Amino acid sequence: MSAQSKIITGKVLGSTDGLPLPGVSVLVKGTKKATSTAADGKFSISAAATDVLQISYVGFVTKEIPVGTQSTLNVSLEPDATMLSEVTVSTALGIKRKPKEIGYATQQVTGKALTASKPTNLATGLSGKVAGLQINQANNQIDAGDQVRVVLRGNRSFTGNNQALLVLDGVIVPLSQLNSINPNDIDNVNILKGANAAALYGSDASNGVIIVSTKRGSADGGTVTYTNSTLLNRLSYFPKMQTEFGGGTDQDAYGFGMYTPFENQTFGDRFDGSIRPVGRVLEDGTFQMVPYTYKENEKENFFETGIDEQNDLTYSGGNENGTTYINMQRVNSKGYVPGDKSNRTAFRINGTRKINKFLADYSFNYTQRNYDKSTNQVYNNVINTPGNIPLSEYSDLNSLYGNPNNYYNDYYSSPYFGLQQYRNNERRDDLLGNLSITYKPVEWISLMARGGLSTKNTQGKNKNYAYTYSDFAHDSGKAAAATQYIRSSVGDYNEFESRYTGDFLATATKTFNKFKFTLIGGAQVIQKNYKYMTQSGSNLVVDNLFNINNRTGEIVGSETERNSRQIGAFGDLTATYNDYLTIHISGRNDWDSRLAKSNRSFFYPAIDAAITLTDAIPALKESKIISNLKIRGGISKVYAVQIDPYRLVSTISPAGNFPYGSTAGYTIDNSVYDPNLKPENTVSKEIGFDIGFLNNRITLETSAYLQNTKNQEIINGIDLSATTGYTSAVINTGEGENKGIEFSLNAAPVIGLANGFRWNVGVNYSYNTNKVISLYQGQSQLGIGDNNYIVVGQSFPSLQVSTYQTDPQGRVIVDANTGLPLSNPLNKDFGQTNPSNVLGINTSFTFKNFTLSGVAEYRSGNVFYNSFASTLDFAGISYTSAEAGRERFVYPNSVIQTSPGVFVPNTNTTTISGNGSFWSDGIRANTASNYVMSAAFWKIRELSLAYQVPTQWLQSKAKFIKNASIALIGRNLFMFRPSDNIYTDPEINVGTGNAQGVNNLNQTPPTRIYGFTATIGF
C-alpha cells in the first residue's frame, strides 16, 4: 500500500513576501513525472508516499520534500542569494559579466518579451522596449522587413553610418541580416547603448551594439514544440480626401470646375448624382456610364487583406555534456498589394558540447527568402483616381472597362495594369554560422578561439512586360496609348556580401583576498567582401521572354566590387573589490585597410567604474526599502571609419555612350578625395545609477551621456565650385555634439494575489539632442539629400524646404492684387527630423492562466515633410483643396504689405481662383512648407491576450503534451497623431539613411496587423 500513488496538491510561495510563485517546477525525484505551478502558485501531481518532491525555481533555493502521509503541501521557497549574485550579462565579444561590474548602460529584452506579438522580424519586436533605441520601418511593402533603420542614442556622424552594430552569438554580422534572424530562435537581446563597448568590438561598435543570443537547447531531456502564427494585414490609414468634386481640369468663365470624363485630376463640378460617361468613347461607340457620386472606400478596397502564416517546429534537448537546439521555420506571406507575395524558409541548429577541459559552442543558420512584387508606383495611381470612378471594377484586365485600351484615364494606366506589367522576382540566401572552442588548462585560465561567417547572396530580375494598344485606342488621342507597342525589357542583378570573423581571447581570473582580477587579451580579424553586378536589355525580340540574350542593342551593365580587412588587438582588465566596487579598463588598436598606411592604425581606450552601495554600506545593506543601489560612470574614445574601400583617390569610369564599338571612352570622378583621410573620433562620457526597491519589485535605471565627434568624414563630399574641375570634396571636417538622458523603470505593483492576479509595468524614456559645432572653413550648412541639412548651431539633420514670404509675426504675405501668397526665394528651416523624445510603455496583466500584455510608444520633437501631399493638391483629391468649396477665398493668416515694413491683416482680398489654377499651378503644390508638420505620434505597438492550458489538465487528459497555449495578437492597432497630420504615418520614410522625415508615393500606406498564435509542446 505504501507504493500506491495518490494526488498531492499544494501551493508554492516566496518566503520574503508570501506571494504565490507561478511556473515553479515540481518533480517526483528520480522520475520524469513533473508539473509546474499555475499563476496562483498551486499545483497538483500524482506521487507515492515513498516519493520525494523536488521543488525548484530560478533564483530560489531548491527544496526537497518527502511525501509520506501528506496530501496537501504549503511550500515556502527562500531566495538563492548565491545564484542571484552569479547572474551574468553578455557584453562585448560574448564576455559574461555580473550586472554590478558593468559601468555603462545596458538593457536586456528576453525572448519571451520579444515575441509576445509574434513579429516576423527582430526589429519589430524591439520597438518601444528599450530606452534610447529608435527603430523606423521605411515601408510597408512585402519586403518591408529589409527596410529598417536602427539607431541608439541618436546621430553622431553627419554623413556616415549611425546605425547600431549587430552581434549574433558573439560574432559581428551586417545589420542587413536583421531580417534573417528568426525571432523565435532568440533567447535574449542585450543592448550596449554607449560607445564604451567599442573598445573590444572595434570601430563598428561606435554607435552601440545589439547583442542577440540564440537558444542553445536544454540540458534536462528533450522537447518538441510546434507553433503556428497566422496574421492578417489590413490597410489602417489613408490620407484624408475631398468627397465633393469629380474629374476635370478646365473651368468655366466664372471659375467653376467643368467635368472631364477621362481626366485624373478632380477639379470638375460638384457631385450631383446624375449618370455621366466615364472615359473616352469606346470602339463600339458606347460610353461607360456611372453615377456622378463619391464612391466610399473605393480606393481603400484596392488593397487586399495580407496574410502572414508562420510555422515553427523546434527541438530542444541535451544533458550535462551538451545541448542541442534545432528549429525549422516557414513563413508564407501574401501582401496587401494585390499580387505581391513572399516566403521565408529557415533552418537553425545550435548546440554545445563538453569534452574534458574543452567546450565547443556552435551555431548555424540558413535562410532563404523569395519575393514576387510589383515595381509600379501603384499608390500614386490609386490615390489620384477621382472619387466617382468605380476603381474596383477594373481589376479584371479582360473585362470591357478593365481592358487597358478602354481604361477611363487618358494619362495614366490602370493600377491593376501596372501591377501586372512591372514585376520583380528576387531570391536571397543568407548563411550565418560560428564555432567557438574554449579550453581551460586550469580553473582560472580560459582560452577561446572562434570563427564566424555571414554571407548574403541576392539574385533578382526586373521584368517589364510588353503590351500593344489597339489601333482605336492609339488613334483616339489617348495619351497613355501614344506609344502603341510597348516592348518588353529585362534587368538582372546579383549582390553578394560576406564577412569572415576570427577571434581569439585569453582570459585569466584570480582572486586575492577581497580582490578579484579578470584580465583578457585577444585579437580579431574581419574580412569583408562585396560585389554587385547588373545587366539589362531593352527591346526584347520575343515578347516577355526575359533573357538578356533575347534583345537588340548593347547590354547595359555595371559592376562594383569592394574588399576590406580590419585587424584588431585588445586588452581588458576588470578589478573588483569585495564584490561591490569594480574598475574596468580596456583598449584596442585597429589596423584598417580602407585608410592610407600612415593613418590606418589607431588606438582607443575606455575606462568605467561601478560601485554597488547596498553592498558597500552596511546601513543600506540591511534596508528593507532599498534592495539595490549602483552608481556607474565611464569615458571612452572611439574611432570610426566611414568611407568605402578605394575612396582615397579620384577614379575614372566609362563615359556615357562608351564603349562605342571598339573605341573606349572614360571620364574622371567628379569628386576629389583627401588621401590622408582619418577616421572620425568620438569621445563619449556617461554617468548613471541603478536602484531597486522592495526586493527589486521596483527598479530604475538612469543614464546621462555626452558624445563629441570630431574629424567628421564627409563621405558624400562638401560642395566645390565647378571651376575647380570637381563638384565635391571628400574630407575630414567639422564637429558634432550628441547628448541625452534615458531611464528605464520596471515595477510589479501586484505580483501575486490569492487568485493569481499579477500586474507588471515598464516605462522606457529617452531624450536626445545633438548640435553641429562646426563645418568646413566657416561653411554654415551641408546638404545630405531629401531636404535634410547639417546646419551649424542646430540639431542635425534639419529639414529645409521652400516656403512663402512672411512678416515678422509669421503671417503669410499675399499679393495685394491677386490675393496669392508670395514665394520666398530662400528655403526655411523647420527643425530636426529625428525625435528628441521617445517613450515606450510595456505592461502585462495575468489572471489565472490568462495574460493580457501591450506595448505603446510615443515620439515627438521632430517634423516631417509629406512630399506626396503636393501630388494630392495637384490632382485636386486632397481634403484641403476643397475646404473653400473651390471658390475664391482669403488666404488664412495673411497680410498685405502696404509700404516697406508695414503689414496689415488681409480681410477681404481673395485669391484670383479657388479651383485648379490655385491648387495645381504651382503657387500651392510647389511650396513644400504647406506639407511640413509635426511627426509626433502615439502608437499601440502590440496587444496580446494569451491563455496557457493548465498543466494539471494536460496531465489528466493528454499526458504526452507538456504544454499548450493560444493567443490573440495585434500590432500597430491604433495610432494617434496631431490633427494637422491628415496624410500618413510619420514613421514611414523614403529610406534608412541619415536623411529622415520625408516620404513620397513610393511608400505604400500603413497597415494594422492582427491574428492568433498557438503553441503545443511534447
Side-chain angles (χ1 to χ4, degrees):
M1 293 295 293
S2 60
Q4 186 175 359
S5 295
K6 59 182 176 179
I7 300 298
I8 307 297
T9 60
K11 189 172 187 179
V12 182
L13 308 174
S15 65
T16 56
D17 51 22
L19 296 173
L21 295 176
V24 177
S25 172
V26 181
L27 170 72
V28 177
K29 190 175 180 179
T31 73
K32 294 184 178 181
K33 188 183 298 184
T35 187
S36 58
T37 58
D40 56 3
K42 294 180 179 180
F43 69 91
S44 174
I45 193 169
S46 175
T50 56
D51 288 334
V52 174
L53 296 185
Q54 189 177 70
I55 301 173
S56 60
Y57 193 51
V58 175
F60 290 81
V61 177
T62 298
K63 182 172 286 189
E64 294 186 356
I65 302 175
V67 174
T69 60
Q70 304 176 89
S71 58
T72 302
L73 298 175
N74 287 311
V75 183
S76 179
L77 293 184
E78 298 285 341
D80 188 345
T82 302
M83 182 177 292
L84 291 175
S85 67
E86 293 175 352
V87 172
T88 59
V89 175
S90 290
T91 60
L93 294 173
I95 298 169
K96 304 287 186 180
R97 299 178 63 189
K98 296 180 181 180
K100 62 173 62 178
E101 296 176 348
I102 300 175
Y104 48 83
T106 69
Q107 191 168 344
Q108 188 175 91
V109 179
T110 65
K112 182 178 179 181
L114 184 75
T115 58
S117 66
K118 295 302 176 185
T120 56
N121 66 76
L122 171 59
T124 301
L126 286 172
S127 291
K129 297 173 183 175
V130 177
L133 176 63
Q134 180 189 338
I135 293 177
N136 285 73
Q137 187 162 300
N139 213 325
N140 266 307
Q141 292 176 334
I142 196 74
D143 57 349
D146 296 326
Q147 303 174 52
V148 176
R149 177 175 170 82
V150 182
V151 175
L152 281 163
R153 292 183 170 177
N155 290 345
R156 284 153 293 275
S157 179
F158 293 162
T159 62
N161 175 43
N162 283 295
Q163 298 201 66
L165 180 71
L166 178 62
V167 175
L168 179 64
D169 294 326
V171 176
I172 299 172
V173 298
L175 195 63
S176 60
Q177 298 281 10
L178 197 65
N179 198 29
S180 296
I181 303 172
N182 177 4
N184 293 333
D185 289 339
I186 295 174
D187 182 56
N188 64 76
V189 178
N190 197 44
I191 311 295
L192 309 183
K193 300 180 183 180
N196 301 68
L200 290 186
Y201 271 127
S203 62
D204 287 343
S206 59
N207 300 318
V209 187
I210 298 176
I211 300 175
V212 179
S213 299
T214 57
K215 298 171 182 175
R216 283 298 186 271
S218 173
D220 56 356
T223 60
V224 176
T225 303
Y226 170 72
T227 300
N228 171 270
S229 300
T230 301
L231 303 174
L232 306 180
N233 299 263
R234 284 292 296 168
L235 184 73
S236 57
Y237 301 101
F238 221 57
K240 190 175 183 179
M241 296 173 289
Q242 62 90 2
T243 60
E244 300 178 58
F245 301 93
T249 297
D250 299 329
Q251 55 192 36
D252 62 21
Y254 301 99
F256 295 109
M258 300 171 61
Y259 177 66
T260 307
F262 50 77
E263 180 59 64
N264 67 286
Q265 285 190 304
T266 54
F267 293 109
D269 58 334
R270 194 179 299 272
F271 291 132
D272 59 10
S274 61
I275 303 299
R276 299 195 185 185
V278 168
R280 289 183 178 270
V281 63
L282 303 183
E283 190 169 4
D284 61 4
T286 64
F287 284 93
Q288 181 185 9
M289 304 295 292
V290 300
Y292 193 54
T293 57
Y294 184 77
K295 307 293 187 296
E296 289 286 346
N297 298 320
E298 192 69 9
K299 298 174 189 178
E300 292 88 335
N301 290 339
F302 171 86
F303 297 96
E304 300 177 340
T305 298
I307 301 176
D308 294 322
E309 184 179 11
Q310 178 173 314
N311 293 281
D312 286 83
L313 184 62
T314 303
Y315 169 79
S316 177
N319 53 40
E320 65 275 9
N321 295 319
T323 61
T324 302
Y325 174 86
I326 300 173
N327 177 271
M328 293 178 287
Q329 184 195 66
R330 174 74 174 189
V331 180
N332 293 311
S333 299
K334 180 178 84 73
Y336 76 128
V337 174
D340 285 5
K341 57 186 177 181
S342 71
N343 61 65
R344 181 174 77 190
T345 304
F347 173 79
R348 171 176 290 278
I349 179 168
N350 295 348
T352 62
R353 191 69 181 172
K354 290 180 182 178
I355 304 176
N356 297 323
K357 294 183 178 182
F358 290 90
L359 172 65
D361 185 294
Y362 60 90
S363 172
F364 173 87
N365 184 78
Y366 170 72
T367 303
Q368 182 189 111
R369 282 176 283 166
N370 294 279
Y371 298 108
D372 180 359
K373 63 181 182 178
S374 170
T375 57
N376 184 242
Q377 197 183 45
V378 62
Y379 189 24
N380 180 58
N381 289 2
V382 172
I383 198 73
N384 289 315
T385 301
N388 59 299
I389 299 299
L391 184 62
S392 59
E393 294 183 12
Y394 307 138
S395 60
D396 183 359
L397 299 181
N398 294 315
S399 66
L400 178 61
Y401 303 123
N403 187 312
N405 290 293
N406 300 334
Y407 185 61
Y408 88 94
N409 194 328
D410 248 27
Y411 308 103
Y412 297 102
S413 61
S414 158
Y416 294 102
F417 182 60
L419 292 177
Q420 173 184 280
Q421 292 299 106
Y422 307 99
R423 306 295 302 177
N424 167 263
N425 295 113
E426 182 177 284
R427 170 175 166 168
R428 174 172 162 175
D429 296 87
D430 292 338
L431 180 64
L432 301 169
N434 68 75
L435 170 66
S436 68
I437 304 293
T438 301
Y439 172 61
K440 298 192 72 171
V442 292
E443 186 61 29
W444 58 280
I445 293 179
S446 172
L447 305 175
M448 190 269 284
R450 177 172 55 209
L453 165 70
S454 70
T455 66
K456 179 184 77 171
N457 188 20
T458 303
Q459 300 180 60
K461 185 182 289 288
N462 291 311
K463 299 183 289 188
N464 298 337
Y465 286 80
Y467 189 78
T468 302
Y469 283 97
S470 67
D471 292 339
F472 180 83
H474 174 66
D475 298 338
S476 68
K478 189 182 185 73
T483 301
Q484 186 172 9
Y485 175 36
I486 301 174
R487 304 189 69 167
S488 53
S489 60
V490 64
D492 295 329
Y493 58 91
N494 180 267
E495 181 182 39
F496 178 79
E497 181 178 4
S498 67
R499 183 190 296 247
Y500 306 92
T501 303
D503 299 322
F504 174 78
L505 278 79
T507 304
T509 303
K510 267 291 188 180
T511 300
F512 302 95
N513 296 322
K514 294 183 179 181
F515 290 91
K516 175 187 172 185
F517 297 93
T518 300
L519 178 64
I520 301 173
Q524 183 180 68
V525 178
I526 299 176
Q527 172 80 32
K528 301 176 186 177
N529 304 97
Y530 177 85
K531 189 168 187 176
Y532 183 70
M533 299 181 65
T534 66
Q535 55 181 5
S536 62
S538 56
N539 301 324
L540 298 187
V541 178
V542 179
D543 285 347
N544 305 332
L545 176 59
F546 296 106
N547 187 300
I548 201 71
N549 291 320
N550 175 38
R551 75 182 196 288
T552 59
E554 293 290 334
I555 293 176
V556 177
S558 65
E559 180 177 353
T560 300
E561 186 169 356
R562 297 192 294 265
N563 303 292
S564 65
R565 182 178 294 119
Q566 182 178 323
I567 299 174
F570 52 83
D572 183 281
L573 174 64
T574 302
T576 300
Y577 173 72
N578 209 19
D579 206 33
Y580 65 73
L581 174 62
T582 299
I583 297 177
H584 171 236
I585 302 172
S586 61
R588 172 168 172 144
N589 198 92
D590 272 354
W591 294 265
D592 196 306
S593 68
R594 289 171 291 179
L595 299 177
K597 288 185 178 180
S598 58
N599 297 321
R600 66 177 47 158
S601 174
F602 42 92
F603 175 79
Y604 32 95
I607 181 170
D608 58 79
I611 180 169
T612 304
L613 297 179
T614 42
D615 289 342
I617 302 174
L620 288 176
K621 194 170 186 178
E622 302 300 324
S623 172
K624 294 184 179 181
I625 303 298
I626 300 176
S627 47
N628 177 61
L629 176 58
K630 184 181 82 171
I631 299 175
R632 50 184 165 77
I635 182 171
S636 65
K637 186 174 184 179
V638 183
Y639 289 91
V641 180
Q642 302 285 6
I643 60 167
D644 287 330
Y646 327 126
R647 296 292 300 274
L648 299 179
V649 294
S650 298
T651 57
I652 60 173
S653 57
N657 300 318
F658 282 93
Y660 183 76
S662 60
T663 303
Y666 295 90
T667 181
I668 197 167
D669 197 336
N670 289 326
S671 295
V672 62
Y673 301 87
D674 180 1
N676 294 310
L677 206 66
K678 298 177 176 61
E680 294 179 351
N681 69 81
T682 299
V683 175
S684 175
K685 304 170 185 176
E686 177 182 328
I687 59 172
F689 70 88
D690 306 337
I691 187 168
F693 300 95
L694 303 175
N695 204 30
N696 286 329
R697 281 182 60 179
I698 302 173
T699 61
L700 174 65
E701 300 176 3
T702 67
S703 299
Y705 57 88
L706 173 66
Q707 301 172 321
N708 285 81
T709 302
K710 299 180 179 180
N711 278 339
Q712 296 266 356
E713 290 183 6
I714 311 301
I715 59 177
N716 297 328
I718 61 168
D719 293 336
L720 293 179
S721 168
T723 59
T724 64
Y726 299 95
T727 59
S728 63
V730 176
I731 60 172
N732 288 111
T733 185
E735 178 183 356
E737 179 182 87
N738 178 295
K739 59 185 178 181
I741 59 173
E742 58 198 22
F743 71 77
S744 178
L745 173 68
N746 290 282
V750 181
I751 60 173
L753 300 179
N755 59 9
F757 179 75
R758 285 174 172 257
W759 175 30
N760 294 291
V761 63
V763 178
N764 299 297
Y765 172 76
S766 63
Y767 173 80
N768 174 268
T769 184
N770 55 28
K771 184 179 180 180
V772 181
I773 305 298
S774 64
L775 279 173
Y776 178 68
Q777 294 185 355
Q779 285 189 356
S780 62
Q781 66 181 39
L782 170 70
I784 61 172
D786 291 320
N787 298 99
N788 278 232
Y789 289 82
I790 309 297
V791 182
V792 173
Q794 296 183 198
S795 295
F796 64 91
S798 60
L799 182 72
Q800 292 186 13
V801 297
S802 57
T803 187
Y804 297 129
Q805 296 181 33
T806 58
D807 72 350
Q809 298 181 45
R811 297 174 296 183
V812 175
I813 304 172
V814 298
D815 186 283
N817 297 314
T818 65
L820 298 177
L822 300 178
S823 296
N824 193 327
L826 301 177
N827 285 351
K828 180 180 177 181
D829 195 302
F830 282 85
Q832 66 188 47
T833 55
N834 286 314
S836 54
N837 298 286
V838 179
L839 173 67
I841 301 176
N842 312 275
T843 190
S844 67
F845 302 89
T846 299
F847 178 71
K848 295 186 182 297
N849 294 89
F850 290 92
T851 298
L852 174 65
S853 61
V855 179
E857 187 176 31
Y858 170 74
R859 298 183 187 178
S860 69
N862 56 321
V863 297
F864 80 119
Y865 167 39
N866 281 292
S867 71
F868 74 80
S870 63
T871 303
L872 305 187
D873 274 351
F874 175 83
I877 200 66
S878 67
Y879 175 80
T880 52
S881 70
E883 279 189 294
R886 300 284 166 84
E887 297 186 7
R888 297 168 59 179
F889 61 97
V890 175
Y891 196 88
N893 193 32
S894 62
V895 295
I896 295 174
Q897 184 171 0
T898 56
S899 60
V902 178
F903 304 92
V904 297
N906 176 27
T907 58
N908 55 17
T909 301
T910 62
T911 58
I912 57 174
S913 171
N915 213 327
S917 59
F918 175 83
W919 297 100
S920 66
D921 286 358
I923 191 61
R924 167 77 181 185
N926 291 347
T927 305
S929 62
N930 290 309
Y931 315 110
V932 175
M933 57 206 59
S934 168
F937 66 77
W938 269 104
K939 281 189 179 181
I940 306 301
R941 291 283 190 191
E942 299 179 8
L943 275 179
S944 71
L945 177 61
Y947 175 72
Q948 184 76 35
V949 179
T951 305
Q952 297 93 327
W953 186 89
L954 290 175
Q955 285 185 337
S956 62
K957 302 295 183 181
K959 293 184 178 180
F960 63 95
I961 299 177
K962 291 185 177 181
N963 61 78
S965 64
I966 190 169
L968 300 177
I969 51 182
R971 295 202 303 273
N972 293 331
L973 296 179
F974 306 101
M975 177 171 63
F976 307 96
R977 304 162 290 175
S979 58
D980 63 341
N981 180 6
I982 60 175
Y983 298 108
T984 191
D985 182 352
E987 187 178 2
I988 294 177
N989 197 75
V990 292
T992 59
N994 290 348
Q996 294 288 297
V998 179
N999 55 39
N1000 56 36
L1001 286 169
N1002 287 318
Q1003 287 84 52
T1004 50
T1007 60
R1008 59 171 53 92
I1009 301 170
Y1010 49 90
F1012 70 90
T1013 181
T1015 299
I1016 186 168
F1018 305 94

